[in-house]
Amino acid sequence: MFLFALGGFFYKQLSESKDQGSLGRGFTGYLSGDPIQNEYGAIHIGTSFSYRVVGDQRDIFFRYRPESGITDVRFVNTGTILGTESLTRWGVDVAGIFGPWSIQGEYMGTKVGRKDDFEDVGFHGWYAFVSWFPTGEARNYLENGVFGGIKPIHKYGAVELAVRYSSIDLTDRDIRGGSEQNITVGVNWYIHQQLRVMFNYIHVDTDAFANDDGSVEGTDSPNILQMRFQANF
C-alpha cells in the first residue's frame, strides 16, 4: 500500500478579495492511499481537512458555476456572509479502476464559524463519476493519488464514455445560496496520447434560491452542449 500526504500552514491573508480562496491563517492537509493496486486495477481512498481563521476581513462569499467553465452565471451564490470568523472544511474521495471501467466520487463539507449574533452555517457538495473504455484501455493511476494520461492501444485511438452526477447546497439558516444538481454525459476521443477531443452534454437543475444572488430568476434548468480539443506538449 502506498501512502501520500500533503500539507501546508498559512500565516497571512493573500489578498483583500472577498473570495474565500484567498484567505489565510490556518492549515490544510490531504492524505491518500491505494490499498489495492495491481495489473487488474486499483482502489484509491483519500481524505482532506482545512481550517482557516478569517481575521479582520470577516465578510466572504461562496459561489460556483455549473459544470461548464465557459459561462459567467453562478446559479448557487451565497452573497456576502456577514460576521465570518473561521472556515472549516473536510472531504473524502474514493476511486476504483477495474480494467476499462472506473468509478470516482467525492464529498466536501464546509462550516462557517460566525461571531456575535450570527449563527454558524454549513454547506456541502458531492459528485459521482463512472467511465468506460469500449476500446479496451484503462485509466492510469499514479502513486501520488492522481490519474495519468491515456495511451491508446489502437491506431484509430481510444474512446471513453462517461457519466457524472453532482450536487451542491449553499443554503443554511439565514443564507439562501441555493442548491444545484448537474447530470453530465461525455464522450472523449483520444486520437493520440497527446491529442484529445471531448464532447459534453450537461443538464442543470436548480431550486428557487439558486438565483446568482439576484442576477437570475432561480429554478432554472439549462442544457449545455460543449466541445473541447486538447493537445498536450
Side-chain angles (χ1 to χ4, degrees):
M1 177 177 177
F2 181 86
L3 290 177
F4 174 78
L6 183 68
F9 292 88
F10 307 90
Y11 175 67
K12 290 186 177 181
Q13 193 163 290
L14 301 180
S15 75
E16 296 300 321
S17 170
K18 290 183 179 181
D19 184 348
Q20 42 79 28
S22 67
L23 301 176
R25 306 190 313 265
F27 64 93
T28 298
Y30 179 75
L31 176 66
S32 68
D34 53 345
I36 298 176
Q37 185 174 184
N38 52 44
E39 65 272 22
Y40 303 107
I43 299 293
H44 161 92
I45 301 174
T47 183
S48 61
F49 182 83
S50 176
Y51 178 80
R52 294 196 178 194
V53 177
V54 177
D56 294 334
Q57 181 180 314
R58 302 183 187 278
D59 301 336
I60 65 171
F61 62 84
F62 294 86
R63 61 180 186 177
Y64 295 97
R65 292 182 175 90
E67 293 184 357
S68 172
I70 61 177
T71 177
D72 290 330
V73 177
R74 299 168 172 87
F75 293 105
V76 286
N77 187 342
T78 63
T80 300
I81 302 176
L82 301 176
T84 303
E85 287 189 312
S86 65
L87 297 175
T88 305
R89 289 178 173 174
W90 59 94
V92 177
D93 60 277
V94 296
I97 302 174
F98 312 95
W101 290 90
S102 69
I103 59 173
Q104 187 172 319
E106 183 175 12
Y107 172 88
M108 292 293 296
T110 298
K111 177 184 177 182
V112 180
R114 305 165 79 188
K115 66 169 185 174
D116 300 333
D117 296 330
F118 297 104
E119 293 184 288
D120 295 350
V121 291
F123 312 118
H124 62 90
W126 63 274
Y127 78 88
F129 169 85
V130 178
S131 165
W132 174 51
F133 284 90
T135 49
E137 289 80 6
R139 298 178 73 190
N140 181 24
Y141 178 76
L142 306 178
E143 290 184 339
N144 59 355
V146 300
F147 289 96
I150 299 298
K151 185 176 181 180
I153 60 177
H154 303 285
K155 292 182 178 180
Y156 55 81
V159 176
E160 179 184 24
L161 307 178
V163 62
R164 171 186 169 113
Y165 182 88
S166 65
S167 176
I168 185 171
D169 189 347
L170 297 185
T171 296
D172 189 31
R173 301 185 185 274
D174 61 312
I175 304 301
R176 299 291 186 263
S179 66
E180 175 185 318
Q181 290 76 43
N182 298 270
I183 299 175
T184 302
V185 178
V187 179
N188 299 323
W189 178 27
Y190 299 83
I191 304 172
H192 184 270
Q193 192 172 4
Q194 295 174 293
L195 295 175
R196 176 171 60 164
V197 180
M198 306 169 64
F199 299 90
N200 282 342
Y201 166 75
I202 307 162
H203 175 72
V204 184
D205 189 20
T206 67
D207 70 358
F209 296 124
N211 61 9
D212 197 4
D213 199 23
S215 299
V216 296
E217 292 294 329
T219 64
D220 288 323
S221 297
N223 296 287
I224 303 169
L225 181 63
Q226 62 187 40
M227 172 185 173
R228 176 183 178 185
F229 177 77
Q230 179 178 328
N232 298 323
F233 299 97

